[in-house]
Amino acid sequence: MTLRLEFAVTGMHCASCGLLIDDEIEELPGVTTSTTHLRTERTVVELERPVPAQEIVAAIASVGYTASPIA
């Protein structure tokens, strides 16, 4: 069973910003994939097991962007 979380992300300026975010999130244990869309300012994270949304928000913040979970 794959779990999915979505986040609104602000502060991105180019496609490289999204790649940086995805690389950081994909380092977290339990994360399968991360896909960030510059145009929609969204990040979709697929998980193999539950990961607290705050861990993902913190990973995004660690590379200089602001994120919040989308219900």
Side-chain angles (χ1 to χ4, degrees), residues 25-48:
I25 292 171
E26 289 175 353
E27 292 291 321
L28 296 173
V31 172
T32 305
T33 60
S34 175
T35 306
T36 300
H37 304 276
L38 175 64
R39 193 178 84 238
T40 61
E41 297 185 317
R42 299 283 190 264
T43 296
V44 177
V45 182
E46 293 188 3
L47 310 160
E48 61 187 11

Side-chain angles (χ1 to χ4, degrees), residues 9-14 17-18 21 36-38 41-43 65:
V9 181
T10 58
M12 295 185 291
H13 303 288
C14 64
C17 295
I21 291 168
T36 300
H37 304 276
L38 175 64
E41 297 185 317
R42 299 283 190 264
T43 296
Y65 306 94

Side-chain angles (χ1 to χ4, degrees), residues 1-7 24-34 45-60 69:
M1 177 167 116
T2 301
L3 304 171
R4 184 176 180 215
L5 296 174
E6 189 170 348
F7 299 84
E24 190 67 21
I25 292 171
E26 289 175 353
E27 292 291 321
L28 296 173
V31 172
T32 305
T33 60
S34 175
V45 182
E46 293 188 3
L47 310 160
E48 61 187 11
R49 63 173 177 79
V51 174
Q54 278 310 111
E55 283 187 31
I56 297 169
V57 168
I60 294 169

